[in-house]
Each structure stands twice: as C-alpha cells, then as structure tokens.
C-alpha cells in the first residue's frame, strides 16, 4: 500500500515546516511550497491525495491558486487553510471546487482525518477513471 501524498502550501515557513515534519513522522509523503506559483507547478507534475492551500499568500492567493490547479486537474482534492478568511471567502472557495475550508491552527488529528478521507476519495476517483478507460477500450475494440 502506498503512503498518502499531500502538498502543503503556505507562505509562513515555520508553520509549513512544522506541519510537514509532523505529517512525515506519521508516514505521509509531504511536498511543500511557500507560494502559489510553485504549488501550481508541483500540482501539474504530480498527483496528490490532497492539497492544502493557505488562503492568504502574497502573489497568488489561495483562491487564485485553487482556480489554476483545478483548471489543470479538475479532480484535485483541495482544502484551504485559513486563520482569517470570512464566511464569504469560504463559500466562494467551496463554489470554485475546494473540498473544505479548514481553520488554522488545525489540530493534527483533524488534519489526519481529512487526509484519510481524501485518500479514500482519490482512490475511488482513480478506480472510476480506470473503469471508464477499460470500457472505452472494450467499445473501441468491439469485444
């Protein structure tokens, strides 16, 4: 069984490093980025079970990063982390395709639960894609 693979994006380097270390120590493969542009590049090259974006970042903020990642991969499972976003911002994020908006500082057990649910959803999506691919091959070959 493979380890869950997550991407955490936050401009607060101390928070980013501490969270990455805590998750890594629990067997999770953690990739990090401290800005939206780097996150978009990483998300275009790799598949992650879950992506956690800070809401308020300089340059590309969480909403802009969310839009760009989803434009490349509409099935990406993205969660926004915020210490100060409004309800309106949270609703906008969900409407745009975020799975949830999580409040910082987030408790480790809550984050682990979110990762577990994301891993399950990711696996279901992957199985559905494989099933559709096999069906397409069978229709094409006329078997």
């Amino acid at each position: 069984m493979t380890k869950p693979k997550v991407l955490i994006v936050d401009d607060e380097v101390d928070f980013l490093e501490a969270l990455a270390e805590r998750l890594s120590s629990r067997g999770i493969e953690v990739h990090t980025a401290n800005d939206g542009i780097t996150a978009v590049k990483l998300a275009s090259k790799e598949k992650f079970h879950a992506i956690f974006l800070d809401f308020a970042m300089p340059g590309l903020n969480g909403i802009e990063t969310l839009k760009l990642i989803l434009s490349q991969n509409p099935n990406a499972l993205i969660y926004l982390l915020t210490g100060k976003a409004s309800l309106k911002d949270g609703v906008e994020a969900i409407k745009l395709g975020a799975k949830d908006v999580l409040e910082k500082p987030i408790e480790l057990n809550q984050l682990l639960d979110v990762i577990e649910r994301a891993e399950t959803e990711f696996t279901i999506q992957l199985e559905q894609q494989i099933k559709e691919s096999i069906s397409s091959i069978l229709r094409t070959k006329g078997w």
Side-chain angles (χ1 to χ4, degrees), residues 1 30 64 84 98 100 125 132 134 137:
M1 183 162 208
V30 181
E64 294 164 330
K84 54 190 167 202
D100 203 351
Q125 284 180 358
E132 290 170 4
I134 290 170
I137 291 168

Side-chain angles (χ1 to χ4, degrees), residues 8-55:
I8 305 171
V9 186
D10 201 303
D11 62 312
E12 296 175 36
V13 177
D14 291 340
F15 171 79
L16 185 65
E17 289 175 354
L19 189 56
E21 186 176 318
R22 292 180 81 193
L23 291 174
S24 293
S25 72
R26 283 159 177 81
I28 295 170
E29 182 180 336
V30 181
H31 297 251
T32 61
N34 60 5
D35 62 72
I37 293 170
T38 303
V40 172
K41 288 178 184 175
L42 284 170
S44 72
K45 294 177 186 173
E46 302 221 25
K47 296 251 187 223
F48 295 97
H49 291 99
I51 299 172
F52 298 93
L53 300 174
D54 183 23
F55 221 103

Side-chain angles (χ1 to χ4, degrees), residues 49-115:
H49 291 99
I51 299 172
F52 298 93
L53 300 174
D54 183 23
F55 221 103
M57 296 183 288
L60 288 179
N61 66 29
I63 292 288
E64 294 164 330
T65 305
L66 169 76
K67 288 178 187 177
L68 287 171
I69 292 173
L70 288 175
S71 72
Q72 296 172 357
N73 180 2
N75 293 324
L77 302 173
I78 302 174
Y79 302 82
L80 273 90
L81 297 170
T82 181
K84 54 190 167 202
S86 69
L87 179 60
K88 180 182 173 190
D89 291 334
V91 170
E92 179 185 2
I94 299 295
K95 284 183 178 179
L96 290 170
K99 299 306 277 180
D100 203 351
V101 178
L102 308 169
E103 202 169 329
K104 283 168 57 176
I106 188 166
E107 290 189 28
L108 185 60
N109 285 336
Q110 180 188 7
L111 189 58
L112 291 170
D113 287 345
V114 170
I115 292 169

Side-chain angles (χ1 to χ4, degrees), residues 134-143:
I134 290 170
S135 292
S136 175
I137 291 168
L138 291 174
R139 281 192 308 275
T140 306
K141 299 293 182 185
W143 294 332

